[in-house]
Amino acid sequence: MAKLGLYVYCITPAETKTLGETPERKSYGNIGFDGNEVYTVYCRGMNAVVSDSPIKEYEMTDENTEKHRDVALEVMKTKTVLPVAFGMVFESEKTLRTVMNGARKALQAALQTVQDKVELGVKLVFPLEALQSFKDWGGGKSREEYVKEVESDMMETLGKIAAEKKKLRLFSERLAFNAAFLVEKSRVDEFSEVLGKLDDKYESLKTQYSGPWPAYNFVDIKIMSKEKRRRGI
Amino acid sequence: MVLEVKVAGDEKRVEEEEEEGADLLTILFFTVVTPGIYPLAFIVKQIRDYAESLMYDPEKISDQIKMNRMMYEFGEISKEEYERTRDDLMHKLRIVQRGRAMGIDQKMDRLAFGETVELGTEES
Protein backbone atom coordinates (compact mmCIF):
# COMPACT_ATOMS: atom_id res chain seq x y z
CA MET A 1 0.00 0.00 0.00
CA ALA A 2 1.28 3.47 -0.89
CA LYS A 3 2.62 5.63 1.93
CA LEU A 4 0.20 8.32 3.19
CA GLY A 5 0.91 11.95 2.47
CA LEU A 6 -1.09 15.16 2.34
CA TYR A 7 -3.15 15.83 -0.78
CA VAL A 8 -3.63 19.60 -1.23
CA TYR A 9 -6.96 20.84 -2.65
CA CYS A 10 -6.58 24.59 -2.24
CA ILE A 11 -5.12 27.39 -0.14
CA THR A 12 -7.13 29.98 1.81
CA PRO A 13 -6.22 33.03 3.86
CA ALA A 14 -6.15 32.18 7.58
CA GLU A 15 -7.81 34.43 10.13
CA THR A 16 -6.09 34.95 13.46
CA LYS A 17 -7.63 36.83 16.37
CA THR A 18 -4.33 38.13 17.67
CA LEU A 19 -0.99 38.77 15.99
CA GLY A 20 1.32 35.74 16.04
CA GLU A 21 -1.44 33.33 17.07
CA THR A 22 -1.69 29.98 15.27
CA PRO A 23 -5.32 29.32 14.40
CA GLU A 24 -6.92 26.00 15.29
CA ARG A 25 -7.09 23.28 12.69
CA LYS A 26 -10.42 23.51 10.88
CA SER A 27 -12.24 20.42 9.64
CA TYR A 28 -14.46 20.39 6.55
CA GLY A 29 -15.70 16.85 7.25
CA ASN A 30 -15.00 13.53 5.55
CA ILE A 31 -15.25 14.83 1.99
CA GLY A 32 -11.73 14.05 0.71
CA PHE A 33 -10.34 11.18 -1.37
CA ASP A 34 -11.37 7.78 0.05
CA GLY A 35 -13.81 9.56 2.38
CA ASN A 36 -10.94 11.00 4.42
CA GLU A 37 -11.27 14.11 6.54
CA VAL A 38 -10.44 17.41 4.86
CA TYR A 39 -8.68 19.81 7.24
CA THR A 40 -6.39 22.81 7.33
CA VAL A 41 -2.63 23.04 7.79
CA TYR A 42 -1.58 26.53 8.86
CA CYS A 43 1.46 28.34 7.51
CA ARG A 44 2.11 32.04 8.17
CA GLY A 45 -1.25 33.64 7.45
CA MET A 46 -2.46 30.91 5.08
CA ASN A 47 -4.18 27.56 5.38
CA ALA A 48 -3.56 24.66 3.02
CA VAL A 49 -6.73 22.56 2.75
CA VAL A 50 -5.64 18.90 2.74
CA SER A 51 -6.60 15.31 3.40
CA ASP A 52 -4.45 12.30 4.32
CA SER A 53 -4.05 10.50 1.00
CA PRO A 54 -1.64 8.01 -0.57
CA ILE A 55 1.49 9.38 -2.24
CA LYS A 56 0.90 8.34 -5.84
CA GLU A 57 0.05 9.68 -9.28
CA TYR A 58 -3.62 10.70 -9.24
CA GLU A 59 -5.26 9.81 -12.51
CA MET A 60 -7.43 12.53 -14.04
CA THR A 61 -10.61 10.51 -14.13
CA ASP A 62 -14.01 12.21 -13.89
CA GLU A 63 -14.40 10.89 -10.35
CA ASN A 64 -11.01 12.18 -9.15
CA THR A 65 -11.23 15.60 -10.78
CA GLU A 66 -14.77 16.06 -9.46
CA LYS A 67 -13.59 15.18 -5.96
CA HIS A 68 -10.74 17.72 -6.21
CA ARG A 69 -13.14 20.38 -7.51
CA ASP A 70 -15.96 19.61 -5.05
CA VAL A 71 -13.71 20.04 -2.01
CA ALA A 72 -12.55 23.43 -3.31
CA LEU A 73 -16.19 24.41 -3.97
CA GLU A 74 -17.15 23.43 -0.41
CA VAL A 75 -14.34 25.56 1.03
CA MET A 76 -15.29 28.39 -1.32
CA LYS A 77 -18.68 28.70 0.39
CA THR A 78 -16.99 30.46 3.30
CA LYS A 79 -13.51 31.44 2.15
CA THR A 80 -11.57 32.98 -0.70
CA VAL A 81 -9.93 30.03 -2.39
CA LEU A 82 -6.58 29.83 -4.14
CA PRO A 83 -6.88 26.77 -6.35
CA VAL A 84 -4.08 24.22 -6.43
CA ALA A 85 -3.50 22.05 -9.53
CA PHE A 86 -4.91 18.53 -9.46
CA GLY A 87 -2.70 15.79 -8.03
CA MET A 88 -0.40 17.67 -5.63
CA VAL A 89 0.68 15.46 -2.69
CA PHE A 90 3.25 16.22 0.03
CA GLU A 91 5.10 13.76 2.21
CA SER A 92 4.38 15.54 5.50
CA GLU A 93 3.08 18.72 7.13
CA LYS A 94 6.69 19.81 7.57
CA THR A 95 7.44 19.53 3.83
CA LEU A 96 4.22 21.33 2.98
CA ARG A 97 4.97 24.20 5.38
CA THR A 98 8.55 24.50 4.08
CA VAL A 99 7.38 24.78 0.47
CA MET A 100 4.52 27.19 1.33
CA ASN A 101 6.88 29.31 3.36
CA GLY A 102 9.32 29.50 0.45
CA ALA A 103 6.58 30.67 -1.89
CA ARG A 104 4.85 32.86 0.70
CA LYS A 105 5.10 36.17 -1.19
CA ALA A 106 3.85 34.70 -4.46
CA LEU A 107 0.99 32.92 -2.69
CA GLN A 108 -0.06 36.08 -0.85
CA ALA A 109 0.02 38.07 -4.10
CA ALA A 110 -2.11 35.38 -5.74
CA LEU A 111 -4.56 35.52 -2.82
CA GLN A 112 -4.86 39.27 -3.38
CA THR A 113 -5.64 38.64 -7.06
CA VAL A 114 -8.54 36.30 -6.30
CA GLN A 115 -9.84 37.97 -3.11
CA ASP A 116 -13.67 38.12 -3.21
CA LYS A 117 -13.72 37.01 -6.84
CA VAL A 118 -14.92 33.90 -8.63
CA GLU A 119 -14.19 32.42 -12.03
CA LEU A 120 -16.98 32.09 -14.59
CA GLY A 121 -16.59 30.10 -17.79
CA VAL A 122 -18.30 30.84 -21.09
CA LYS A 123 -18.26 28.65 -24.19
CA LEU A 124 -20.15 29.17 -27.45
CA VAL A 125 -20.51 26.10 -29.60
CA PHE A 126 -21.47 25.73 -33.27
CA PRO A 127 -24.39 23.41 -33.94
CA LEU A 128 -23.46 20.27 -35.89
CA GLU A 129 -25.11 21.54 -39.08
CA ALA A 130 -22.78 24.59 -39.16
CA LEU A 131 -19.79 22.35 -39.78
CA GLN A 132 -21.34 20.72 -42.84
CA SER A 133 -21.32 23.90 -44.89
CA PHE A 134 -20.13 26.83 -42.84
CA LYS A 135 -20.55 29.52 -45.50
CA ASP A 136 -24.23 28.62 -45.97
CA TRP A 137 -24.79 28.55 -42.23
CA GLY A 138 -22.75 31.68 -41.49
CA GLY A 139 -24.29 33.89 -44.19
CA GLY A 140 -21.20 33.84 -46.43
CA LYS A 141 -18.63 34.37 -43.66
CA SER A 142 -15.79 31.94 -43.15
CA ARG A 143 -15.54 30.12 -39.84
CA GLU A 144 -12.42 32.17 -38.95
CA GLU A 145 -14.16 35.49 -39.66
CA TYR A 146 -17.19 34.45 -37.65
CA VAL A 147 -15.07 33.28 -34.69
CA LYS A 148 -13.06 36.51 -34.71
CA GLU A 149 -16.20 38.67 -34.65
CA VAL A 150 -17.87 36.67 -31.88
CA GLU A 151 -14.71 36.62 -29.80
CA SER A 152 -14.15 40.35 -30.10
CA ASP A 153 -17.77 41.12 -29.12
CA MET A 154 -17.87 38.68 -26.20
CA MET A 155 -14.48 39.68 -24.76
CA GLU A 156 -15.25 43.38 -24.98
CA THR A 157 -18.78 43.19 -23.58
CA LEU A 158 -18.11 40.71 -20.76
CA GLY A 159 -14.64 42.10 -20.12
CA LYS A 160 -16.19 45.38 -18.97
CA ILE A 161 -17.74 43.59 -16.00
CA ALA A 162 -14.89 41.22 -15.21
CA ALA A 163 -11.77 42.10 -13.22
CA GLU A 164 -9.70 39.80 -15.45
CA LYS A 165 -10.46 37.92 -18.64
CA LYS A 166 -8.67 35.10 -20.38
CA LYS A 167 -9.20 33.60 -23.82
CA LEU A 168 -8.94 29.85 -23.69
CA ARG A 169 -7.92 27.52 -26.49
CA LEU A 170 -10.58 26.43 -28.97
CA PHE A 171 -9.96 22.73 -28.41
CA SER A 172 -12.43 21.66 -31.09
CA GLU A 173 -13.68 23.04 -34.40
CA ARG A 174 -17.12 23.00 -32.76
CA LEU A 175 -16.06 25.87 -30.48
CA ALA A 176 -16.74 29.45 -31.54
CA PHE A 177 -15.68 30.97 -28.23
CA ASN A 178 -14.02 29.77 -25.04
CA ALA A 179 -13.02 32.09 -22.21
CA ALA A 180 -12.79 32.46 -18.46
CA PHE A 181 -13.61 35.60 -16.50
CA LEU A 182 -12.57 36.56 -13.00
CA VAL A 183 -15.54 38.45 -11.57
CA GLU A 184 -16.17 40.20 -8.24
CA LYS A 185 -18.74 38.16 -6.30
CA SER A 186 -20.90 41.28 -6.10
CA ARG A 187 -21.02 41.55 -9.93
CA VAL A 188 -21.90 37.93 -10.80
CA ASP A 189 -25.62 38.72 -11.30
CA GLU A 190 -24.74 41.62 -13.60
CA PHE A 191 -22.40 39.35 -15.56
CA SER A 192 -25.15 36.71 -15.91
CA GLU A 193 -27.63 39.31 -17.12
CA VAL A 194 -25.29 40.63 -19.83
CA LEU A 195 -24.41 37.09 -20.87
CA GLY A 196 -28.15 36.38 -21.17
CA LYS A 197 -28.42 39.21 -23.72
CA LEU A 198 -25.42 37.87 -25.65
CA ASP A 199 -27.01 34.43 -25.60
CA ASP A 200 -30.09 35.94 -27.31
CA LYS A 201 -27.87 37.73 -29.82
CA TYR A 202 -26.06 34.51 -30.74
CA GLU A 203 -29.08 32.25 -30.49
CA SER A 204 -27.87 30.04 -33.33
CA LEU A 205 -24.93 29.00 -31.15
CA LYS A 206 -25.17 26.83 -28.06
CA THR A 207 -24.03 28.56 -24.88
CA GLN A 208 -22.39 26.88 -21.92
CA TYR A 209 -22.10 29.08 -18.82
CA SER A 210 -20.32 27.52 -15.86
CA GLY A 211 -19.28 28.51 -12.37
CA PRO A 212 -18.72 30.01 -9.96
CA TRP A 213 -15.38 28.22 -9.75
CA PRO A 214 -12.15 28.87 -7.90
CA ALA A 215 -9.85 30.89 -10.19
CA TYR A 216 -8.26 27.87 -11.90
CA ASN A 217 -7.48 29.79 -15.08
CA PHE A 218 -6.02 32.81 -13.33
CA VAL A 219 -3.84 31.21 -10.69
CA ASP A 220 -1.85 28.07 -11.34
CA ILE A 221 -0.14 26.48 -8.37
CA LYS A 222 1.95 23.43 -9.04
CA ILE A 223 4.40 21.72 -6.77
CA MET A 224 7.00 19.69 -8.57
CA SER A 225 10.51 18.37 -8.36
CA LYS A 226 13.23 20.51 -9.93
CA GLU A 227 13.84 17.71 -12.45
CA LYS A 228 10.18 17.65 -13.52
CA ARG A 229 10.17 21.43 -13.84
CA ARG A 230 13.30 21.34 -16.01
CA ARG A 231 11.77 18.72 -18.26
CA GLY A 232 8.45 20.59 -18.40
CA ILE A 233 6.39 17.62 -17.20
CA MET B 1 10.72 20.70 -4.54
CA VAL B 2 9.54 23.80 -6.37
CA LEU B 3 6.27 25.59 -5.82
CA GLU B 4 5.33 27.26 -9.07
CA VAL B 5 2.78 30.03 -8.73
CA LYS B 6 1.46 31.73 -11.84
CA VAL B 7 -1.08 34.55 -11.70
CA ALA B 8 -2.99 36.39 -14.40
CA GLY B 9 -0.64 38.26 -16.75
CA ASP B 10 2.16 35.71 -16.54
CA GLU B 11 1.32 34.06 -19.87
CA LYS B 12 4.28 35.59 -21.72
CA ARG B 13 6.78 34.24 -19.20
CA VAL B 14 5.18 30.81 -19.32
CA GLU B 15 5.35 30.68 -23.10
CA GLU B 16 9.01 31.70 -23.01
CA GLU B 17 9.75 28.94 -20.52
CA GLU B 18 8.15 26.40 -22.78
CA GLU B 19 10.30 27.28 -25.77
CA GLU B 20 13.38 25.20 -25.23
CA GLY B 21 15.46 22.63 -27.12
CA ALA B 22 16.82 22.54 -30.64
CA ASP B 23 14.56 21.37 -33.43
CA LEU B 24 15.09 18.03 -35.12
CA LEU B 25 16.23 19.41 -38.49
CA THR B 26 18.91 21.59 -36.86
CA ILE B 27 20.24 18.60 -34.95
CA LEU B 28 20.29 16.39 -38.03
CA PHE B 29 21.99 19.15 -40.04
CA PHE B 30 24.82 19.54 -37.51
CA THR B 31 25.11 15.77 -37.15
CA VAL B 32 25.80 15.43 -40.87
CA VAL B 33 27.95 18.54 -41.27
CA THR B 34 29.93 18.27 -38.03
CA PRO B 35 29.69 14.73 -36.65
CA GLY B 36 30.16 14.51 -32.89
CA ILE B 37 28.57 17.84 -31.99
CA TYR B 38 25.57 16.02 -30.47
CA PRO B 39 25.88 12.74 -28.48
CA LEU B 40 24.31 9.77 -30.23
CA ALA B 41 21.83 9.18 -27.37
CA PHE B 42 20.60 12.76 -27.71
CA ILE B 43 20.03 12.38 -31.44
CA VAL B 44 18.21 9.08 -30.93
CA LYS B 45 16.04 10.71 -28.25
CA GLN B 46 15.09 13.58 -30.55
CA ILE B 47 14.15 11.19 -33.35
CA ARG B 48 12.19 8.98 -30.95
CA ASP B 49 10.33 12.01 -29.51
CA TYR B 50 9.51 13.16 -33.01
CA ALA B 51 8.22 9.73 -34.04
CA GLU B 52 6.21 9.48 -30.82
CA SER B 53 4.66 12.89 -31.34
CA LEU B 54 3.41 11.71 -34.72
CA MET B 55 1.81 8.62 -33.21
CA TYR B 56 0.45 10.01 -29.96
CA ASP B 57 -0.39 13.54 -29.04
CA PRO B 58 -1.57 13.74 -25.43
CA GLU B 59 -2.93 17.22 -26.02
CA LYS B 60 -5.14 15.98 -28.85
CA ILE B 61 -6.36 13.11 -26.70
CA SER B 62 -7.14 15.58 -23.87
CA ASP B 63 -9.00 17.78 -26.35
CA GLN B 64 -11.10 14.80 -27.44
CA ILE B 65 -11.87 14.02 -23.78
CA LYS B 66 -13.09 17.60 -23.26
CA MET B 67 -15.14 17.55 -26.45
CA ASN B 68 -16.72 14.23 -25.54
CA ARG B 69 -17.72 15.69 -22.16
CA MET B 70 -19.14 18.81 -23.79
CA MET B 71 -21.23 16.80 -26.27
CA TYR B 72 -22.63 14.80 -23.36
CA GLU B 73 -23.45 17.96 -21.39
CA PHE B 74 -25.27 19.37 -24.43
CA GLY B 75 -27.27 16.14 -24.71
CA GLU B 76 -25.80 15.32 -28.13
CA ILE B 77 -24.62 11.85 -27.07
CA SER B 78 -26.01 9.31 -24.60
CA LYS B 79 -24.42 8.55 -21.24
CA GLU B 80 -23.36 5.11 -22.52
CA GLU B 81 -21.72 6.62 -25.59
CA TYR B 82 -20.02 9.27 -23.45
CA GLU B 83 -18.65 6.68 -21.02
CA ARG B 84 -17.48 4.32 -23.76
CA THR B 85 -15.61 7.09 -25.62
CA ARG B 86 -14.22 8.49 -22.36
CA ASP B 87 -12.86 5.08 -21.29
CA ASP B 88 -11.29 4.53 -24.70
CA LEU B 89 -9.61 7.96 -24.68
CA MET B 90 -8.45 7.57 -21.07
CA HIS B 91 -6.88 4.24 -22.04
CA LYS B 92 -4.95 5.93 -24.88
CA LEU B 93 -3.83 8.73 -22.57
CA ARG B 94 -2.64 6.21 -19.97
CA ILE B 95 -0.45 4.49 -22.57
CA VAL B 96 1.25 7.78 -23.46
CA GLN B 97 1.70 8.79 -19.81
CA ARG B 98 3.04 5.36 -18.84
CA GLY B 99 5.72 5.62 -21.53
CA ARG B 100 6.81 8.98 -20.19
CA ALA B 101 6.72 7.87 -16.55
CA MET B 102 9.15 5.04 -17.40
CA GLY B 103 11.74 7.73 -18.03
CA ILE B 104 13.03 6.04 -21.18
CA ASP B 105 14.85 9.20 -22.19
CA GLN B 106 16.64 9.40 -18.81
CA LYS B 107 17.70 5.80 -19.13
CA MET B 108 19.18 6.42 -22.57
CA ASP B 109 21.00 9.57 -21.43
CA ARG B 110 22.62 7.77 -18.52
CA LEU B 111 23.48 4.63 -20.43
CA ALA B 112 25.44 6.83 -22.80
CA PHE B 113 27.79 7.58 -19.88
CA GLY B 114 27.97 3.98 -18.70
CA GLU B 115 25.96 4.37 -15.49
CA THR B 116 23.68 1.77 -13.94
CA VAL B 117 20.07 2.85 -14.21
CA GLU B 118 16.77 1.80 -12.69
CA LEU B 119 13.50 2.55 -14.43
CA GLY B 120 10.85 4.66 -12.71
CA THR B 121 13.15 6.23 -10.16
CA GLU B 122 12.32 9.78 -11.04
CA GLU B 123 12.21 12.14 -8.04
CA SER B 124 8.61 12.92 -7.06
Side-chain angles (χ1 to χ4, degrees), chain A residues 16-50:
Chain A
T16 49
K17 286 172 190 160
T18 54
L19 198 66
E21 177 202 26
T22 301
E24 280 181 19
R25 172 180 131 153
K26 178 176 168 53
S27 173
Y28 287 95
N30 298 327
I31 57 169
F33 283 109
D34 303 320
N36 285 342
E37 184 192 14
V38 171
Y39 60 93
T40 55
V41 171
Y42 177 76
C43 177
R44 299 181 70 172
M46 292 172 289
N47 276 325
V49 178
V50 305

Short mmCIF file of all heavy atoms in Angstrom, two decimals, chain A residues 16-50:
data_model
loop_
_atom_site.label_atom_id
_atom_site.label_comp_id
_atom_site.label_asym_id
_atom_site.label_seq_id
_atom_site.Cartn_x
_atom_site.Cartn_y
_atom_site.Cartn_z
N THR A 16 -6.55 35.08 12.07
CA THR A 16 -6.09 34.95 13.46
C THR A 16 -6.66 36.10 14.27
O THR A 16 -6.78 37.22 13.77
CB THR A 16 -4.55 34.97 13.54
OG1 THR A 16 -4.09 36.08 12.79
CG2 THR A 16 -3.95 33.70 12.97
N LYS A 17 -7.04 35.78 15.52
CA LYS A 17 -7.63 36.83 16.37
C LYS A 17 -6.57 37.81 16.87
O LYS A 17 -6.79 39.00 16.93
CB LYS A 17 -8.36 36.18 17.55
CG LYS A 17 -9.67 35.52 17.12
CD LYS A 17 -10.26 34.73 18.25
CE LYS A 17 -11.43 33.88 17.73
NZ LYS A 17 -11.76 32.77 18.60
N THR A 18 -5.41 37.26 17.20
CA THR A 18 -4.33 38.13 17.67
C THR A 18 -3.07 37.86 16.85
O THR A 18 -2.90 36.76 16.32
CB THR A 18 -4.01 37.88 19.16
OG1 THR A 18 -3.75 36.49 19.31
CG2 THR A 18 -5.14 38.31 20.06
N LEU A 19 -2.21 38.87 16.79
CA LEU A 19 -0.99 38.77 15.99
C LEU A 19 -0.10 37.63 16.51
O LEU A 19 0.10 37.49 17.71
CB LEU A 19 -0.24 40.11 16.04
CG LEU A 19 0.82 40.33 14.97
CD1 LEU A 19 0.19 40.42 13.58
CD2 LEU A 19 1.60 41.59 15.27
N GLY A 20 0.40 36.81 15.64
CA GLY A 20 1.32 35.74 16.04
C GLY A 20 0.62 34.47 16.49
O GLY A 20 1.26 33.46 16.74
N GLU A 21 -0.70 34.51 16.61
CA GLU A 21 -1.44 33.33 17.07
C GLU A 21 -1.56 32.30 15.93
O GLU A 21 -1.72 32.66 14.77
CB GLU A 21 -2.85 33.79 17.49
CG GLU A 21 -3.76 32.66 17.92
CD GLU A 21 -5.24 33.04 17.80
OE1 GLU A 21 -5.57 33.92 16.98
OE2 GLU A 21 -6.03 32.44 18.53
N THR A 22 -1.46 31.03 16.27
CA THR A 22 -1.69 29.98 15.27
C THR A 22 -3.14 29.53 15.37
O THR A 22 -3.56 29.06 16.43
CB THR A 22 -0.75 28.78 15.53
OG1 THR A 22 0.59 29.23 15.47
CG2 THR A 22 -0.96 27.68 14.50
N PRO A 23 -3.91 29.69 14.31
CA PRO A 23 -5.32 29.32 14.40
C PRO A 23 -5.50 27.81 14.53
O PRO A 23 -4.63 27.04 14.13
CB PRO A 23 -5.91 29.83 13.09
CG PRO A 23 -4.78 29.99 12.17
CD PRO A 23 -3.55 30.18 12.97
N GLU A 24 -6.64 27.44 15.12
CA GLU A 24 -6.92 26.00 15.29
C GLU A 24 -7.15 25.35 13.94
O GLU A 24 -7.61 25.99 12.99
CB GLU A 24 -8.18 25.83 16.13
CG GLU A 24 -7.93 25.99 17.62
CD GLU A 24 -9.20 25.79 18.42
OE1 GLU A 24 -10.16 25.19 17.89
OE2 GLU A 24 -9.23 26.26 19.56
N ARG A 25 -6.84 24.06 13.90
CA ARG A 25 -7.09 23.28 12.69
C ARG A 25 -8.60 23.23 12.43
O ARG A 25 -9.36 22.96 13.34
CB ARG A 25 -6.53 21.88 12.93
CG ARG A 25 -6.84 20.88 11.89
CD ARG A 25 -6.21 19.57 12.29
NE ARG A 25 -7.22 18.52 12.16
CZ ARG A 25 -6.95 17.25 11.92
NH1 ARG A 25 -5.71 16.86 11.81
NH2 ARG A 25 -7.90 16.36 11.82
N LYS A 26 -9.00 23.54 11.21
CA LYS A 26 -10.42 23.51 10.88
C LYS A 26 -10.72 22.25 10.07
O LYS A 26 -9.97 21.89 9.17
CB LYS A 26 -10.79 24.75 10.07
CG LYS A 26 -12.25 24.78 9.64
CD LYS A 26 -12.60 26.07 8.93
CE LYS A 26 -13.95 26.01 8.23
NZ LYS A 26 -15.07 25.61 9.06
N SER A 27 -11.85 21.61 10.39
CA SER A 27 -12.24 20.42 9.64
C SER A 27 -13.41 20.75 8.71
O SER A 27 -14.32 21.48 9.09
CB SER A 27 -12.66 19.31 10.60
OG SER A 27 -13.20 18.22 9.87
N TYR A 28 -13.34 20.22 7.49
CA TYR A 28 -14.46 20.39 6.55
C TYR A 28 -15.25 19.09 6.40
O TYR A 28 -16.07 18.93 5.50
CB TYR A 28 -13.92 20.83 5.18
CG TYR A 28 -13.46 22.28 5.17
CD1 TYR A 28 -12.13 22.60 5.39
CD2 TYR A 28 -14.36 23.32 4.97
CE1 TYR A 28 -11.70 23.92 5.39
CE2 TYR A 28 -13.94 24.65 4.96
CZ TYR A 28 -12.61 24.93 5.17
OH TYR A 28 -12.18 26.25 5.17
N GLY A 29 -14.97 18.13 7.28
CA GLY A 29 -15.70 16.85 7.25
C GLY A 29 -15.01 15.82 6.38
O GLY A 29 -13.97 16.08 5.77
N ASN A 30 -15.62 14.64 6.30
CA ASN A 30 -15.00 13.53 5.55
C ASN A 30 -15.38 13.59 4.07
O ASN A 30 -16.10 12.73 3.55
CB ASN A 30 -15.42 12.19 6.15
CG ASN A 30 -14.94 12.05 7.58
OD1 ASN A 30 -13.89 12.56 7.95
ND2 ASN A 30 -15.72 11.40 8.41
N ILE A 31 -14.86 14.61 3.39
CA ILE A 31 -15.25 14.83 1.99
C ILE A 31 -14.07 14.65 1.03
O ILE A 31 -14.17 14.95 -0.15
CB ILE A 31 -15.88 16.23 1.78
CG1 ILE A 31 -14.90 17.34 2.23
CG2 ILE A 31 -17.20 16.36 2.55
CD1 ILE A 31 -15.34 18.74 1.83
N GLY A 32 -12.94 14.18 1.54
CA GLY A 32 -11.73 14.05 0.71
C GLY A 32 -11.67 12.74 -0.03
O GLY A 32 -12.64 11.95 -0.03
N PHE A 33 -10.55 12.46 -0.69
CA PHE A 33 -10.34 11.18 -1.37
C PHE A 33 -10.50 10.04 -0.36
O PHE A 33 -10.07 10.16 0.78
CB PHE A 33 -8.94 11.13 -2.01
CG PHE A 33 -8.84 11.92 -3.29
CD1 PHE A 33 -8.13 13.11 -3.34
CD2 PHE A 33 -9.47 11.47 -4.44
CE1 PHE A 33 -8.06 13.84 -4.52
CE2 PHE A 33 -9.40 12.18 -5.62
CZ PHE A 33 -8.69 13.37 -5.66
N ASP A 34 -11.11 8.96 -0.79
CA ASP A 34 -11.37 7.78 0.05
C ASP A 34 -12.20 8.12 1.29
O ASP A 34 -12.10 7.42 2.31
CB ASP A 34 -10.04 7.13 0.50
CG ASP A 34 -9.16 6.75 -0.68
OD1 ASP A 34 -9.71 6.26 -1.68
OD2 ASP A 34 -7.94 6.96 -0.61
N GLY A 35 -12.97 9.19 1.25
CA GLY A 35 -13.81 9.56 2.38
C GLY A 35 -13.02 10.09 3.57
O GLY A 35 -13.52 10.13 4.70
N ASN A 36 -11.77 10.49 3.32
CA ASN A 36 -10.94 11.00 4.42
C ASN A 36 -11.31 12.44 4.79
O ASN A 36 -11.86 13.19 3.98
CB ASN A 36 -9.45 10.94 4.03
CG ASN A 36 -8.92 9.52 4.08
OD1 ASN A 36 -9.52 8.64 4.71
ND2 ASN A 36 -7.81 9.29 3.41
N GLU A 37 -10.96 12.77 6.04
CA GLU A 37 -11.27 14.11 6.54
C GLU A 37 -10.46 15.18 5.79
O GLU A 37 -9.26 14.99 5.54
CB GLU A 37 -10.93 14.19 8.04
CG GLU A 37 -11.31 15.53 8.66
CD GLU A 37 -10.73 15.72 10.06
OE1 GLU A 37 -9.83 14.95 10.46
OE2 GLU A 37 -11.21 16.64 10.74
N VAL A 38 -11.12 16.26 5.47
CA VAL A 38 -10.44 17.41 4.86
C VAL A 38 -10.23 18.44 5.97
O VAL A 38 -11.17 18.80 6.67
CB VAL A 38 -11.28 18.00 3.70
CG1 VAL A 38 -10.68 19.32 3.22
CG2 VAL A 38 -11.33 17.02 2.54
N TYR A 39 -8.99 18.88 6.15
CA TYR A 39 -8.68 19.81 7.24
C TYR A 39 -7.60 20.80 6.81
O TYR A 39 -7.04 20.69 5.71
CB TYR A 39 -8.25 19.03 8.49
CG TYR A 39 -7.02 18.16 8.30
CD1 TYR A 39 -5.75 18.65 8.61
CD2 TYR A 39 -7.12 16.87 7.80
CE1 TYR A 39 -4.61 17.87 8.43
CE2 TYR A 39 -5.98 16.08 7.62
CZ TYR A 39 -4.74 16.59 7.93
OH TYR A 39 -3.61 15.82 7.75
N THR A 40 -7.34 21.76 7.70
CA THR A 40 -6.39 22.81 7.33
C THR A 40 -5.03 22.59 7.98
O THR A 40 -4.93 22.10 9.10
CB THR A 40 -6.92 24.20 7.77
OG1 THR A 40 -7.22 24.17 9.17
CG2 THR A 40 -8.17 24.58 7.00
N VAL A 41 -4.00 23.00 7.25
CA VAL A 41 -2.63 23.04 7.79
C VAL A 41 -2.19 24.50 7.68
O VAL A 41 -2.15 25.05 6.58
CB VAL A 41 -1.69 22.12 6.98
CG1 VAL A 41 -0.24 22.33 7.42
CG2 VAL A 41 -2.09 20.66 7.15
N TYR A 42 -1.89 25.10 8.83
CA TYR A 42 -1.58 26.53 8.86
C TYR A 42 -0.11 26.82 8.52
O TYR A 42 0.78 26.09 8.94
CB TYR A 42 -1.89 27.08 10.26
CG TYR A 42 -1.54 28.54 10.43
CD1 TYR A 42 -2.35 29.53 9.88
CD2 TYR A 42 -0.38 28.93 11.12
CE1 TYR A 42 -2.02 30.87 10.02
CE2 TYR A 42 -0.05 30.27 11.26
CZ TYR A 42 -0.87 31.23 10.71
OH TYR A 42 -0.54 32.56 10.85
N CYS A 43 0.09 27.88 7.76
CA CYS A 43 1.46 28.34 7.51
C CYS A 43 1.46 29.85 7.29
O CYS A 43 0.98 30.33 6.25
CB CYS A 43 2.06 27.65 6.29
SG CYS A 43 3.71 28.24 5.89
N ARG A 44 1.91 30.59 8.24
CA ARG A 44 2.11 32.04 8.17
C ARG A 44 1.02 32.81 7.41
O ARG A 44 1.25 33.34 6.33
CB ARG A 44 3.48 32.34 7.57
CG ARG A 44 4.59 31.75 8.44
CD ARG A 44 5.94 32.04 7.90
NE ARG A 44 6.30 33.45 8.03
CZ ARG A 44 7.52 33.93 7.75
NH1 ARG A 44 8.46 33.11 7.34
NH2 ARG A 44 7.78 35.19 7.87
N GLY A 45 -0.16 32.85 8.02
CA GLY A 45 -1.25 33.64 7.45
C GLY A 45 -2.08 32.93 6.40
O GLY A 45 -3.02 33.49 5.85
N MET A 46 -1.71 31.67 6.10
CA MET A 46 -2.46 30.91 5.08
C MET A 46 -2.78 29.51 5.59
O MET A 46 -2.05 28.99 6.44
CB MET A 46 -1.62 30.77 3.81
CG MET A 46 -1.40 32.07 3.07
SD MET A 46 -0.23 31.85 1.72
CE MET A 46 1.29 31.62 2.58
N ASN A 47 -3.84 28.94 5.08
CA ASN A 47 -4.18 27.56 5.38
C ASN A 47 -4.14 26.74 4.09
O ASN A 47 -4.75 27.12 3.09
CB ASN A 47 -5.60 27.45 5.93
CG ASN A 47 -5.65 27.71 7.43
OD1 ASN A 47 -4.73 27.34 8.16
ND2 ASN A 47 -6.73 28.34 7.89
N ALA A 48 -3.44 25.61 4.13
CA ALA A 48 -3.56 24.66 3.02
C ALA A 48 -4.71 23.73 3.41
O ALA A 48 -4.80 23.30 4.56
CB ALA A 48 -2.27 23.87 2.87
N VAL A 49 -5.60 23.46 2.48
CA VAL A 49 -6.73 22.56 2.75
C VAL A 49 -6.35 21.18 2.20
O VAL A 49 -6.11 21.04 1.00
CB VAL A 49 -8.03 23.10 2.10
CG1 VAL A 49 -9.19 22.14 2.35
CG2 VAL A 49 -8.35 24.48 2.65
N VAL A 50 -6.24 20.20 3.10
CA VAL A 50 -5.64 18.90 2.74
C VAL A 50 -6.47 17.72 3.24
O VAL A 50 -7.38 17.90 4.05
CB VAL A 50 -4.21 18.78 3.36
CG1 VAL A 50 -3.33 19.94 2.97
CG2 VAL A 50 -4.28 18.66 4.88
#
